[in-house]
Structure formats: C-alpha cells, structure tokens
Amino acid sequence: MTDGIYRMAVASGHAHRDTVSLAGQQVRHWLKAQHYEDPGAEDGRHRVGPQAVMDCALKDRVRGAGGAKESVARWRLREFTPQGIWQTSLIISTPQGGPTWVRLDAEQLPVRGTSATKAPVPALARGLLDVISATEGTHTGAARLHGMPTVIERGDVDEVLDELCDPERRMPIVVASTPPRADFEDWLAETVDPLLRGCAGLAVLYALSPGAERDFNRALEHHRVYGGAVRTYLPGLDPAWAPEAQRHRVMGRHTLDTDLRRAAGLLAWLPRRLAVQSPLPDALTGLPPLRARGLRDNAQSAAEIDEVQPGSLLVDHHEEEAHEERARAEELQEVRRWLRDAEERESQLAAEYDEQYSELREARTQVRSLRGRLAEAGRADELETTTVPGGTRDDPVSFAELVDRMDEFPRLAFTGDPRLARELDDQTDHPTWVRMAWDALLALEDYAAAAVHGASGGDFRRWCENTPAECHVFPPRKVIRDESRTVRTNGKWKGERELPVPVDVSPTGKVFMGAHLRIGGGGTAPRLHYHDDCSGTGRIYIGYIGLHLHNTRTN
C-alpha cells in the first residue's frame, strides 16, 4: 500500500553541485532540529542518534538508461522505533547534460502484522523548497513551488492562468480564495497557511487576494473559486469546457470552518496520491540501491550498525543487478503511465457523459414546455409520442437545498446523514450532480406511486427501462440493483451500507442498502443508496447521499 508515503519530485533551479551543497545544508539543519549529530560530508553510514542512522553517498556517478551517465547524491535517514522504521530518503540526480531533479520520500516501514502510519510532510521538504528554486517541471513556464502559499495579486493573474492551462504541467495547483469582509492577512495566517501546509512539495500553492479574485474568475468562468473556498486544479485543465470542471475539486468554507485539521487532511489526500502514483522523471528511476559491506540492509535496530565504519557504504554497481533494477523501474514507470492515462480517459468520458446528460435534460425541458403550450391550444395529441418531461425551473442548485426539499416527495423518506450530502457541494461547483440527484428523486417518487398499487411492472431498474410517457425518467444504466459479492462479504464495507430505517421496516433500525444510483459519471462518482419498501410501508427509504462508499476501487 502507498497511502502513507510522502513523495516530492521537483526540478531544481540550480546546477547539480550547487543543489547538492544547498541540500546538504538543509539536511544538517533538519538533523540538528531533531537533536541528531552532523554526519559530516564523508560518504558512508553514520550513527547520528541512539536509534538513528544516516547513509550518505554524495559523490556518486552511475550509469543510467541507454548507458548515459548520471550524477547522483543521496541521503537516507532511518529512525528505529518499536512501531517500525521511519525512513526519509533524499535523491538528487542530474543526467549528463540534463536538468537536476530532487526527490524526497518519507515513509514508515511498520513491524510485521501492523499497518503503516501516514508520513507527515517532512520539515526538510519546506527547507529544500525555500532554497533550490524548485519548479514542477523543466519546461519553459513551469510553475514555481514554495513551502507556503504564494499570494496572487491582480498583476499575477495572467501568469497563474498560463500555469493552470500549461499542457505540460505535472502537479496540481491549489488556489484558496478569501471570504467576503474577511481580513486577508488574518485569513492567511489562521486558515490558509495551516490548511495548505500538508500539500507542501506536492502541489503548487496559491492564495487568491481579494483584488485579484474578479479577474481570475472572469477568465475561468467554469472553474471559479470564491467565498473562502479552495479548489484543486488538476493537470490538463480546459477552461472553455464546462463539464470538465467537475474534475477540479472544490472544498467549501463550511468544511474549513467545521474542522480545519480534517479539511487539511482531505485536501492533501489527492495531491499525495498523485505524487506516488504518477510517473517519475526518468532521472529519478532505476538507481542502484545503497548497501553497506558486512551489514544486512534491513536492520531492525540501530544496535546492528555499531560495527559499520564511515566510508563503508557503497552503491551496488554490479552490472547484472543494476540492469534488473532499471528493468523493474521501467516496468513500474509504464504501469504508472497506464494508470495516469486510464484515469484521464475516465475523467474525460465522465465529463462527456455529463455534458450529454445536461443537453438531454435541457431538451426534455423544452419538450415539456412545448407540450404545455400545445395543450393550451388543444393540440396535445400531436405530441403523444414525444419524449418524457425533464426538470423544472425550480430545480435545486445545491445538495444543501436538495436535502431541505426532501419533504416535497411524500413517498420518499431520507433517513441518512444530511451533512454528508451537503459536503458534496464542497467537491465541485458543477451543477450536473445536483440535477441528476434531483432527477433520481423525481423518478423514484413516480415509481413508488405506481409500485404501491402494484402497477410498476417490476423493480426500479425495470421501471427506468420502461418509464411511462407522463413520468420522469432516470438512466437505467445508473441503477444498480445490489452491491458485488466482495462488498457484501467485507465486514467494514458492508457495515457502511447498513443504513437507518424505521423500526416498522426493520426491528434493528437498519437494513443493508445494496441498491444504489450512480450520480454523475465515473466509477467513483457520488451514490444514492435506497431501500424499496413499497410493498410494506409504501415508501422508499434513502439512507445515503454522498461520496462513493468504500469498495475495491475507492479503498
């Protein structure tokens, strides 16, 4: 599992030798802050604390892919604890004639039978970003990275827009807006800085000043951020395509105000995942491992390093092993590229589906209006075979409003947590999710009205496949009759789907709601879970509206 790994991979604005020198200074400052000894500048394995060792290989030159030479410097700190080994690795690699790349990894190697703890952002990461003039790529116009968010003033908007739309961008860009009437400096210090601290080195971080907000949002009509919300802009942004906006998640101010620490963790989750799963620059892959003569490299205690002398560390240059190491790295890189391309394709298809759904819905609304006008003229028979009606002008504009209007559906009962539904408003400002959820409620209400009289012709999926002309429609392919066997037999996942109902439906007050509706496109889009009790109490109980619950894809 890679959930707990922190990984930063950035380009340095300095040459290899200068980057190594600057990084060495930061490593020494970092060790001193943790009350560890200075390992010095000599290659080898050094005892820097009672339960900590530092490996250094600073004057290394290795053979990369295709026989090219690379200058590489490496540090690796291992801290031995009863829970496992905390390992922090820093690599600086410069292919011959190429740019200098910096990679910093931090992770816990847990004791057998336990799960790894998530690694926090190392203080070393912020120290490096402050001195190496880091950028997220090596191409012209690549965005700069800093340890703390950079303020976007009005004169900076065009440059930031170029970064957002850069087709070669590798990293997310996170932009925090300012609430109305808030003191900007206080908002930065008390909210934005602690909120974005967990994204240092993983994303380009910006705070949008009030004076720049209008120009920024005017240029990004479909991808706006305002009112104290924070938006994560993924690579590949298309500012002219409205359906694509849902890829770029929005976190609303309500989430920040409710629990800032939790909000910081939620915000950092996606940049952390992308940093680990995305392909690395070639200069940072396939490097031979660090090893020491006469010592198992998988030592479980600092006591095992007592006999190792400075200078005994070596980089394994055995040609056969080095070739295998490069082959494994290239294979992993290829898997990362496949994963990235598949996720991008899924996002594109989801956006295309939502665009088509919105167009279809608009057409249904026009047909409904036309039917009404013709009915007034006594000519409704001309449209007897016309497509069924769609939405109305008073559709809700947010999930918060949708939840508040559930009492408009007498045959539906919402028994879930309204907070989880309202939090969907923090994930995107694209209205398709709200529209589709509202369409689902309209269709469920029509189905329930028929089902209580035995006139539905089957379950809700069958109803959607054969919806009467006078009723609201919902795409049948988005109706899932039950969860997979894997989900039903997993205790944790099954428990998430055991949702509240009245005791006259189930004496335990809960039932397993495997039946659900997919709201929006994509495999991890929101879900609406429900229990059909039309044959009993005459109602449908909606136990959950929110982000996709855990399964084999989302866990």
Side-chain angles (χ1 to χ4, degrees):
M1 296 295 290
T2 59
D3 294 349
I5 298 176
Y6 170 88
R7 175 170 296 162
M8 177 180 81
V10 297
S12 172
H14 302 273
H16 181 82
R17 181 177 297 179
D18 293 336
T19 303
V20 172
S21 175
L22 293 168
Q25 295 172 14
Q26 292 302 315
V27 168
R28 290 190 289 275
H29 293 328
W30 174 60
L31 291 173
K32 184 178 179 180
Q34 299 181 84
H35 307 290
Y36 288 146
E37 297 177 10
D38 187 340
E42 186 176 3
D43 283 5
R45 178 163 288 178
H46 310 272
R47 182 85 167 263
V48 295
Q51 291 294 330
V53 294
M54 171 69 83
D55 297 335
C56 304
L58 310 182
K59 303 169 185 176
D60 188 28
R61 196 168 181 84
V62 302
R63 187 177 300 278
K69 295 288 187 179
E70 294 180 57
S71 297
V72 180
R74 288 188 274 190
W75 295 261
R76 181 176 64 190
L77 176 68
R78 290 188 173 188
E79 302 169 276
F80 298 88
T81 72
Q83 293 76 35
I85 303 171
W86 280 102
Q87 178 170 287
T88 307
S89 304
L90 174 62
I91 300 174
I92 299 173
S93 179
T94 307
Q96 190 171 17
T100 297
W101 285 93
V102 178
R103 171 179 172 179
L104 178 65
D105 284 20
E107 61 181 315
Q108 185 197 44
L109 308 175
V111 296
R112 185 172 299 176
T114 63
S115 299
T117 301
K118 184 174 74 173
V121 177
L124 179 59
R126 299 187 186 91
L128 289 168
L129 292 173
D130 288 341
V131 299
I132 65 171
S133 303
T135 56
E136 59 90 25
T138 58
H139 58 282
T140 302
R144 282 285 304 273
L145 277 87
H146 301 275
M148 300 299 287
T150 302
V151 174
I152 304 174
E153 301 290 358
R154 190 170 184 178
D156 304 322
V157 169
D158 287 344
E159 181 179 350
V160 174
L161 292 174
D162 287 342
E163 293 173 358
L164 286 166
C165 301
D166 180 359
E168 297 183 66
R169 176 159 63 92
R170 297 172 50 247
M171 286 186 170
I173 294 179
V174 180
V175 180
S177 63
T178 306
R181 298 178 295 278
D183 182 273
F184 183 56
E185 296 300 327
D186 289 347
W187 175 251
L188 278 180
E190 297 172 8
T191 302
V192 176
D193 287 351
L195 176 70
L196 302 188
R197 188 177 298 274
C199 296
L202 307 172
V204 181
L205 308 178
Y206 284 120
L208 188 60
S209 70
E213 185 174 298
R214 178 176 297 181
D215 291 346
F216 183 88
N217 286 325
R218 183 184 295 119
L220 293 176
E221 177 186 0
H222 306 302
H223 302 73
R224 299 172 299 162
V225 59
Y226 55 88
V230 181
R231 190 155 201 166
T232 301
Y233 295 93
L234 297 179
L237 181 143
D238 184 349
W241 192 23
E244 192 260 354
Q246 66 175 320
R247 293 179 55 235
H248 311 283
R249 298 183 177 185
V250 179
M251 178 174 287
R253 187 183 176 186
H254 173 75
T255 301
L256 277 57
D257 292 342
T258 301
D259 188 337
L260 186 61
R261 183 175 180 178
R262 176 176 177 270
L266 292 172
L267 189 67
W269 178 84
L270 183 58
R272 286 181 72 107
R273 183 177 70 84
L274 293 175
V276 174
Q277 294 185 356
S278 297
L280 285 164
D282 290 340
L284 296 174
T285 63
L287 300 176
L290 291 173
R291 291 178 180 162
R293 297 181 180 91
L295 177 70
R296 292 186 302 107
D297 200 50
N298 60 347
Q300 296 299 308
S301 168
E304 299 182 43
I305 58 96
D306 285 343
E307 297 180 1
V308 179
Q309 300 300 318
S312 66
L313 190 74
L314 59 88
V315 177
D316 194 335
H317 288 288
H318 191 282
E319 193 63 32
E320 184 176 346
E321 288 195 12
H323 177 74
E324 291 178 357
E325 185 74 21
R326 286 194 297 270
R328 286 194 296 268
E330 290 171 2
E331 182 179 356
L332 182 57
Q333 280 284 84
E334 191 64 23
V335 171
R336 289 181 177 133
R337 292 189 186 99
W338 287 340
L339 177 61
R340 178 197 59 193
D341 294 345
E343 289 186 340
E344 289 177 355
R345 180 59 176 161
E346 180 192 35
S347 296
Q348 181 181 6
L349 291 173
E352 290 174 356
Y353 177 89
D354 286 349
E355 181 178 41
Q356 294 166 1
Y357 184 84
S358 296
E359 292 174 352
L360 176 61
R361 198 172 188 275
E362 182 179 356
R364 286 173 178 156
T365 302
Q366 294 173 352
V367 168
R368 185 176 187 179
S369 175
L370 181 58
R371 285 175 62 90
R373 291 170 58 187
L374 289 175
E376 292 175 1
R379 300 171 57 191
D381 56 315
E382 296 182 14
L383 289 178
E384 285 181 357
T385 60
T386 304
T387 308
V388 298
T392 62
R393 287 181 296 176
D394 61 347
D395 290 349
V397 296
S398 67
F399 279 96
E401 182 184 350
L402 181 146
V403 170
D404 291 341
R405 293 175 57 182
M406 285 295 301
D407 57 1
E408 297 180 20
F409 302 95
R411 297 174 183 85
L412 308 182
F414 181 56
T415 61
D417 186 345
R419 176 181 57 86
L420 298 176
R422 294 188 181 105
E423 285 182 354
L424 291 174
D425 292 328
D426 296 335
Q427 305 302 315
T428 180
D429 65 357
H430 195 270
T432 302
W433 286 0
V434 180
R435 291 172 182 166
M436 193 171 290
W438 188 251
D439 287 350
L441 298 178
L442 293 169
L444 282 168
E445 176 71 17
D446 287 346
Y447 161 75
V452 294
H453 299 294
S456 62
D459 62 7
F460 184 57
R461 169 81 179 238
R462 180 64 61 85
W463 172 269
C464 291
E465 292 170 345
N466 302 277
T467 308
E470 67 276 9
C471 295
H472 298 88
V473 299
F474 189 77
R477 291 187 178 182
K478 288 192 169 292
V479 182
I480 312 301
R481 288 187 168 106
D482 199 1
E483 293 285 11
S484 67
R485 183 176 182 274
T486 302
V487 171
R488 295 196 309 271
T489 56
N490 181 294
K492 178 182 176 182
W493 299 345
K494 180 181 178 182
E496 290 181 353
R497 293 157 175 81
E498 291 176 345
L499 298 164
V501 292
V503 292
D504 55 344
V505 176
S506 173
T508 64
K510 289 185 176 182
V511 296
F512 177 74
M513 296 191 187
H516 61 274
L517 311 179
R518 293 185 296 178
I519 306 300
T524 57
R527 297 294 189 263
L528 181 155
H529 285 257
Y530 68 94
H531 173 66
D532 182 352
D533 197 49
C534 290
S535 61
T537 59
R539 306 188 80 183
I540 293 175
Y541 298 92
I542 299 171
Y544 179 83
I545 302 175
L547 290 175
H548 197 311
L549 296 171
H550 289 98
N551 65 5
T552 52
R553 278 196 78 175
T554 61
N555 192 38

